[in-house]
Amino acid sequence: MSVAYERDLPQVKHCGLFGALHARRTAQLAGFGDALFVGRDGLVSEGCTWNVGFVDREGGVVWPQARVLPGVTMALLQRHAEHRTATVSLDQAKDMDAAFATNTSIGVRPLSAIDDTQLPIDHPTLRKFQQTYLTIAGESL
């Protein structure tokens, strides 16, 4: 569910998650799985604990150009797969061919809907992106 929310100091990982978790709970109480943040400027930024990406009509991957917590999974994918960054309004997000969430716990997970707009979860670009993520070698410790 899209929620009007802007994270405090989004570029810094910190323990101040009350607002983000409250937005998630609000979405869950409304019957949705999670919250997709939309700023005061009407642009999509990220999810509660995940970055969001989209597949455009040409099959390209688009990351929102917004103030977000730069996730490790998003950064790895950006280094290993073709993509672009652009502003994405809520209407544009709903008009994309597909959408996905990324974080270290879930890798690349398709989003099945934004608000009442259904999105496909089995898109060729999503499958390719998921495979790309699985082929990225881990770091030796």
Side-chain angles (χ1 to χ4, degrees), residues 1-6 23 36-40:
M1 179 174 99
S2 62
V3 175
Y5 183 76
E6 293 179 8
L36 177 66
F37 299 157
V38 179
R40 288 176 286 231

Side-chain angles (χ1 to χ4, degrees), residues 28-97:
Q28 291 171 336
L29 290 172
F32 294 87
D34 211 328
L36 177 66
F37 299 157
V38 179
R40 288 176 286 231
D41 55 7
L43 300 176
V44 171
S45 59
E46 60 188 333
C48 184
T49 55
W50 40 273
N51 294 108
V52 65
F54 300 96
V55 178
D56 66 19
R57 296 287 176 196
E58 290 77 43
V61 172
V62 180
W63 298 97
Q65 182 178 329
R67 294 181 57 214
V68 300
L69 179 64
V72 172
T73 304
M74 178 179 72
L76 287 170
L77 286 165
Q78 288 176 337
R79 278 188 267 175
H80 290 90
E82 193 172 321
H83 69 277
R84 66 184 175 90
T85 303
T87 57
V88 179
S89 70
L90 184 57
D91 286 340
Q92 289 171 318
K94 292 177 180 183
D95 195 42
M96 295 285 185
D97 272 7

